[in-house]
Amino acid sequence: GLHSRCVASGDSIYFVRGDAQKCYDSLPQAAVLQCISDTIPHNLYYSMPMGAVVPQPVGGAKVAVRDWTVIVPSNDFEEGLLRGIPHGWVVEERGPGQGCFPKVNASQDITALVPRHTSSKPHSYDALDGCVLRRVLEVHTQQHLIAIDVGPTPKIYKQSIGLAQGSAVSMPLCDALYLSVDQSLCEQLTQHPEGQHMLLRRVDDVMVATSSLVCAKEVHTQMRLGWPSIGFRCSQEKVQTTANAECHQVPWCGLVVECASELHCGHKLAFSVDWSRFFELQPRPPTLSPPGANDTIMSALRSANMLRMRTPITVFCDILNPFERRLQTCCEVALAFCGHLWAKVIANMPFTRPHVRMLLKPFALAKRFIVSHVRNQQLQLQIVRKRLAVVSIDNQRLLTERDVSWALANALAYRYRLHSPLATARPMMAQLGAISARKVKEASSFHDQNDAQMFSKCFDQATSVIGKYTR
């Protein structure tokens, strides 16, 4: 919405990003205890089992049946109120031991479903004591012990500030406590009615988008100061804004927001993948113990799944990104995968029987995974676009299976050229190189001259991006 309005009006968008430094370790316990009291204000709650028919985002017509348990305060329970039902869900109240909705077909209308059980008798539900819940959380917060192995005997310390790392309640409590950050920033944004604003926060990562340059600079100053009363102190190197002329990229939660005078065909804004996180977690190929026969294939599957998790739906959005930027992202994904694949093939050569299938099978699996991932992301985006009644920025040109095949084939050949000195020592490498060249020729057969130049430019830019992390 903000992007569409700013594009229509010709306004620029400025981004400000902040990240709390050691957020769990810096939370004052007094503020955490007050947050617990505010989060659980009632003395009695009821756990209500529900049955729900949930529409699926992909395809738009399929539905799923699932169980859903909701915690209801006693006053809402007595008044018959059920808050927080997700949009589009069909919910049925059910008692202990009762069935849910009957099985449904994918094309069946969810409004025509009839519950299997109906009864006018009141159900019995599990009661939860709010006082006990608050006391348990308070003890968990105040009585957390830390063992530090210093010297011959370890010492036990009681944590007096912050929350326990890895606790199941640390993230919800931290998120609830940081709601005051949202309130403070919203008050600051409302002081600039001349601009359009958007606030995003994921626990301790905060992002503000605004069309007002003055507002962006004020928010940047506030983030550098932080909110000491709740322990929110930003890392100064992570407080970034595109309001400064020297900053053109802002990372946030696995994404990189790119802002420049001209990025792709005149567009000034694009979203890409933050590859630094992927290469930090990328598994290393084995070099000591002999791997199994399917080690290369299993490693390719792991790498493909990691790539699917690290490429969010935003980077394939044809509303935000032009086709050239989405194609470049596809090339970056292919280069990241093929780099890991070649490393595994070379590491496994001393332990496996030389055969071209050790490269072709993982390549086919990667193609299937990436094509499926891109298709699912684009289907979800089509549903969102219809709901918002907006059109794409380049006549709805979408990535196709041929585009993915071209990116993978070129990435495979590019990675082979980097390892070409091994071709003289290992004859099978020359055979694999011939297969890579053939794949490139087959994938490039459908391009005309204009498409060939555009695809080549996007691939060169992708190699430049991935090359920063693989040197």
Side-chain angles (χ1 to χ4, degrees):
L2 174 64
H3 177 262
S4 302
R5 292 193 298 270
C6 290
V7 169
S9 60
D11 297 334
S12 299
I13 303 179
Y14 304 98
F15 293 87
V16 186
R17 178 249 181 169
D19 185 5
Q21 184 177 14
K22 299 180 180 180
C23 64
Y24 289 163
D25 297 334
S26 305
L27 298 175
Q29 285 197 351
V32 174
L33 296 177
Q34 183 61 42
C35 179
I36 292 174
S37 300
D38 296 340
T39 305
I40 311 176
H42 302 279
N43 293 330
L44 184 61
Y45 294 84
Y46 291 97
S47 175
M48 298 180 60
M50 313 290 289
V53 176
V54 184
Q56 299 299 294
V58 178
K62 297 182 179 180
V63 295
V65 179
R66 56 172 291 185
D67 294 332
W68 185 47
T69 301
V70 61
I71 307 299
V72 182
S74 57
N75 55 346
D76 287 352
F77 184 83
E78 294 172 358
E79 296 178 3
L81 296 178
L82 182 60
R83 308 176 190 271
I85 299 177
H87 178 74
W89 284 29
V90 179
V91 178
E92 175 202 11
E93 178 184 358
R94 59 186 180 88
Q98 296 177 355
C100 189
F101 288 95
K103 294 183 178 180
V104 296
N105 297 324
S107 60
Q108 190 172 355
D109 185 7
I110 60 175
T111 60
L113 296 175
V114 179
R116 184 180 300 173
H117 174 80
T118 57
S119 175
S120 59
K121 296 181 180 180
H123 298 148
S124 59
Y125 300 102
D126 294 333
L128 304 175
D129 192 332
C131 298
V132 174
L133 291 176
R134 287 193 295 270
R135 183 56 184 161
V136 169
L137 290 177
E138 290 171 359
V139 171
H140 179 74
T141 302
Q142 295 178 304
Q143 303 297 328
H144 182 245
L145 302 179
I146 302 176
I148 301 179
D149 190 4
V150 179
T153 58
K155 295 184 178 181
I156 306 295
Y157 296 89
K158 181 185 293 186
Q159 186 173 356
S160 60
I161 185 172
L163 293 172
Q165 290 281 353
S167 172
V169 299
S170 294
M171 181 178 291
L173 287 177
C174 180
D175 186 55
L177 187 59
Y178 282 171
L179 287 176
S180 56
V181 176
D182 299 346
Q183 296 172 358
S184 174
L185 289 175
C186 287
E187 292 175 359
Q188 193 168 8
L189 294 177
T190 54
Q191 297 177 4
H192 297 272
E194 74 280 1
Q196 303 179 66
H197 319 287
M198 182 178 64
L199 170 63
L200 300 172
R201 182 177 64 84
R202 188 172 183 180
V203 190
D204 62 328
D205 289 332
V206 183
M207 171 77 82
V208 174
T210 176
S211 60
S212 172
L213 178 60
V214 176
C215 180
K217 292 182 177 180
E218 292 181 359
V219 171
H220 180 253
T221 302
Q222 179 60 54
M223 285 193 181
R224 293 182 68 90
L225 296 175
W227 291 264
S229 60
I230 58 173
F232 192 104
R233 296 177 177 86
C234 287
S235 305
Q236 297 301 313
E237 65 274 8
K238 292 185 178 181
V239 180
Q240 300 172 309
T241 176
T242 57
N244 298 332
E246 64 274 8
C247 181
H248 301 294
Q249 292 186 346
V250 175
W252 184 76
C253 293
L255 287 173
V256 175
V257 183
E258 303 175 3
C259 301
S261 58
E262 184 173 344
L263 288 170
H264 298 277
C265 300
H267 298 286
K268 300 181 180 180
L269 179 65
F271 294 84
S272 59
V273 180
D274 185 3
W275 289 109
S276 59
R277 296 191 175 189
F278 172 79
F279 286 100
E280 288 174 358
L281 300 175
Q282 188 177 16
R284 296 290 184 261
T287 55
L288 297 178
S289 59
N294 296 323
D295 181 71
T296 303
I297 295 178
M298 297 304 298
S299 178
L301 289 174
R302 289 194 298 268
S303 181
N305 280 320
M306 289 178 63
L307 285 167
R308 292 172 66 178
M309 291 187 293
R310 290 295 175 182
T311 51
I313 190 173
T314 308
V315 298
F316 295 112
C317 180
D318 53 350
I319 302 174
L320 299 175
N321 281 349
F323 177 78
E324 291 80 359
R325 176 63 257 189
R326 286 178 278 129
L327 178 63
Q328 180 180 333
T329 299
C330 186
C331 294
E332 292 170 2
V333 171
L335 285 167
F337 174 81
C338 290
H340 176 70
L341 177 60
W342 272 115
K344 292 292 295 183
V345 169
I346 293 173
N348 292 350
M349 274 187 176
F351 312 110
T352 56
R353 183 169 61 91
H355 200 281
V356 294
R357 283 182 296 182
M358 68 183 300
L359 182 66
L360 293 181
K361 282 188 175 181
F363 182 83
L365 286 172
K367 177 181 175 182
R368 187 188 66 185
F369 268 69
I370 297 176
V371 167
S372 175
H373 177 58
V374 172
R375 184 186 297 115
N376 290 338
Q377 299 287 55
Q378 292 183 154
L379 284 174
Q380 295 186 41
L381 287 167
Q382 287 178 3
I383 297 172
V384 173
R385 185 167 57 244
K386 291 179 181 178
R387 186 181 304 167
L388 299 177
V390 295
V391 296
S392 64
I393 56 180
D394 51 4
N395 297 324
Q396 299 183 0
R397 183 173 181 179
L398 303 178
L399 290 170
T400 63
E401 183 176 350
R402 294 192 300 179
D403 299 333
V404 176
S405 300
W406 180 89
L408 276 171
N410 279 270
L412 195 67
Y414 175 79
R415 291 297 184 181
Y416 168 76
R417 290 195 295 270
L418 295 181
H419 298 91
S420 57
L422 296 174
T424 56
R426 293 172 179 155
M428 194 185 73
M429 287 293 293
Q431 189 177 5
L432 296 180
I435 295 174
S436 302
R438 191 187 71 214
K439 290 286 185 182
V440 172
K441 185 177 180 180
E442 293 174 355
S444 304
S445 60
F446 67 96
H447 287 161
D448 56 20
Q449 185 175 2
N450 294 332
D451 275 350
Q453 294 177 355
M454 178 188 65
F455 276 55
S456 177
K457 179 180 178 181
C458 292
F459 188 82
D460 292 342
Q461 292 173 343
T463 55
S464 175
V465 172
I466 299 299
K468 299 176 183 177
Y469 306 99
T470 55
R471 291 172 181 172

